[in-house]
Amino acid sequence: MIRSVITGCGSYLPSRIMKNADFEGMIDTNDEWIAQRTGIRERRIAAEGETTADLGEKAARAAMAAAGVTVDDLDMIILATSTPNNTFPATAVEIQNRLGMHHGAAFDSQAVCSGFIFALTTADQYIRTGFAKRILVIGAETFSRILDWTDRTTCVLFGDGAGAVIIEAMEGRGDSSDRGILTAHLRSDGAHKDKLYVDGGPSTTGTVGHLRMEGREVFRHAVGMITDVIEAAYAATGLTSADLDWFVPHQANRRIIDASAKKLDIAPEKVVVTVDRHGNTSAASIPLALCEAVADGRIKTGDLVMLEAMGGGFTWGSILLRW
Ligand code: UT7
């Protein structure tokens, strides 16, 4: 059985750090409220002129170096983003060109904060059907460009960044001892659109728009949706939280992460957390967290890793993989 195995990952964060205290004086907020309600202490903000393609390209180059591959080895690039450089062409194609790749295919995938889970699952389908052998999957965002910097209920929550992985086809036995993606579960429900959306777009206002969110409503749904897709992964594989080595959740709010881990009986020491330093980087948050835990030696070959995300749409999903 063909499995999609992650053979390298890389990430990139803009150099400018914005601390919670930096909002004081701009809007009616304070470090204590942000830290207590979200766990966020600081986030990165892209420099003027620094784009999603810039961040994504740097993460992609780092992932390729980690996997020991060049563009000649790639069949496809999938970029998860809700903050593309342009309405079209896809920012993935721009990154493809910058990397000097002129074969294969590149396209963007849009599922907001669940974007990386959707993109990686898409890549897994291409690999397992034999359509592609090696795919670069990127999550890159510049959410700072779509924030309303006068709205204290949203602008303190998000940050910019990028993470990327190389996945490639490897032969497995077909059981849960295989390396690679063991199971993936995707969900969406457009009935929740008005709880988290951007109030502009090419076909409506003709403008880019700003992020709008009913935070409490999103929070209310988050833990149940996360639990749903993780339990689906357990049902599909016969594995349980006790088998997990690492839990790498989307990083929106420390309270959502802790509540999900508690409900699923995942031990706190297995949870990878970056929200304190990155804020919510949407589609970039999972590869950023994953790469950090790989780089510092926590995630090792053979470890069982659960990825999950929930976000605008609503969209939500999980991927269970063996590193
Ligand atoms: O990636 C997926 C998408 N996003 C999420 O998953 C986010 C989900 N939601 C959340 O993380 C939380 O709901 C928030 C962090 C957004 C808000 O936390 P909360 O505990 O749900 O607070 P709340 O919205 O119930 O607001 C409590 C109070 C309100 O004041 P009143 O109405 O009680 O007087 C807010 O106006 O806190 C106020 N508030 C603030 N105060 C200081 C809201 N934002 C701020 C702020 N600073 N930045």
Side-chain angles (χ1 to χ4, degrees):
M1 179 177 186
I2 300 173
R3 294 286 195 188
S4 309
V5 178
I6 297 181
T7 55
C9 67
S11 62
Y12 178 77
L13 288 162
S15 57
R16 182 180 158 211
I17 296 173
M18 186 169 184
K19 293 190 174 293
N20 290 347
D22 297 334
F23 286 98
E24 293 170 16
M26 269 172 67
I27 47 170
D28 181 16
T29 192
N30 55 72
D31 175 42
E32 196 193 353
W33 189 96
I34 302 170
Q36 274 185 5
R37 299 282 179 138
T38 71
I40 300 168
R41 299 199 169 273
E42 60 187 44
R43 71 287 291 142
R44 301 296 181 107
I45 304 293
E48 203 181 324
E50 191 175 36
T51 67
T52 293
D54 294 326
L55 310 187
E57 179 192 351
K58 288 190 169 116
R61 288 189 189 279
M64 286 163 62
V69 300
T70 70
V71 285
D72 296 337
D73 304 311
L74 299 178
D75 300 316
M76 191 180 276
I77 299 173
I78 307 177
L79 169 67
T81 190
S82 301
T83 47
N85 276 32
N86 296 86
T87 302
F88 78 77
T91 301
V93 177
E94 186 161 345
I95 293 174
Q96 178 192 23
N97 185 48
R98 289 175 183 208
L99 295 175
M101 179 175 164
H102 303 286
H103 63 273
F107 61 91
D108 290 356
S109 164
Q110 211 270 54
V112 204
C113 294
S114 311
F116 188 76
I117 297 285
F118 276 60
L120 191 58
T121 302
T122 304
D124 179 42
Q125 305 306 307
Y126 285 120
I127 298 265
R128 288 199 294 115
T129 55
F131 191 92
K133 291 255 177 296
R134 201 175 282 107
I135 303 179
L136 166 62
V137 182
I138 311 167
E141 303 277 18
T142 45
F143 260 51
S144 62
R145 304 269 153 73
I146 55 165
L147 297 175
D148 174 351
W149 288 93
T150 65
D151 176 9
R152 69 174 184 172
T153 69
T154 54
C155 74
V156 300
L157 304 173
F158 296 89
D160 301 334
V165 299
I166 303 290
I167 66 163
E168 59 184 84
M170 284 191 195
E171 203 58 50
R173 281 179 293 265
D175 61 36
S176 62
S177 70
D178 285 347
R179 288 189 68 202
I181 294 175
L182 301 176
T183 191
H185 300 269
L186 303 182
R187 311 258 194 273
S188 60
D189 185 352
H192 302 285
K193 179 188 171 186
D194 58 344
K195 298 186 182 81
L196 177 50
Y197 67 103
V198 168
D199 62 5
S203 189
T204 49
T205 58
T207 62
V208 171
H210 291 112
L211 184 149
R212 305 292 172 203
M213 178 166 72
E214 289 176 38
R216 210 177 314 189
E217 277 298 299
V218 178
F219 198 126
R220 207 167 63 75
H221 285 85
V223 178
M225 289 177 160
I226 291 163
T227 308
D228 156 43
V229 282
I230 291 180
E231 285 177 344
Y234 292 156
T237 56
L239 296 166
T240 69
S241 292
D243 300 306
L244 287 188
D245 294 296
W246 299 105
F247 179 47
V248 185
H250 169 53
Q251 311 279 322
N253 185 322
R254 182 69 201 247
R255 285 157 58 214
I256 296 176
I257 295 172
D258 290 347
S260 307
K262 192 166 175 220
K263 190 162 174 203
L264 289 152
D265 225 358
I266 299 171
E269 59 273 17
K270 294 181 179 178
V271 184
V272 177
V273 177
T274 55
V275 71
D276 52 328
R277 287 157 292 124
H278 301 172
N280 181 347
T281 57
S282 191
S285 91
I286 291 174
L288 274 164
L290 193 62
C291 291
E292 182 171 287
V294 171
D296 67 19
R298 272 178 287 174
I299 297 180
K300 295 186 239 12
T301 303
D303 282 356
L304 189 67
V305 183
M306 177 69 80
L307 315 179
E308 62 78 5
M310 179 269 176
F314 289 151
T315 54
W316 64 110
S318 70
I319 293 178
L320 182 60
L321 60 89
R322 195 171 294 286
W323 196 258

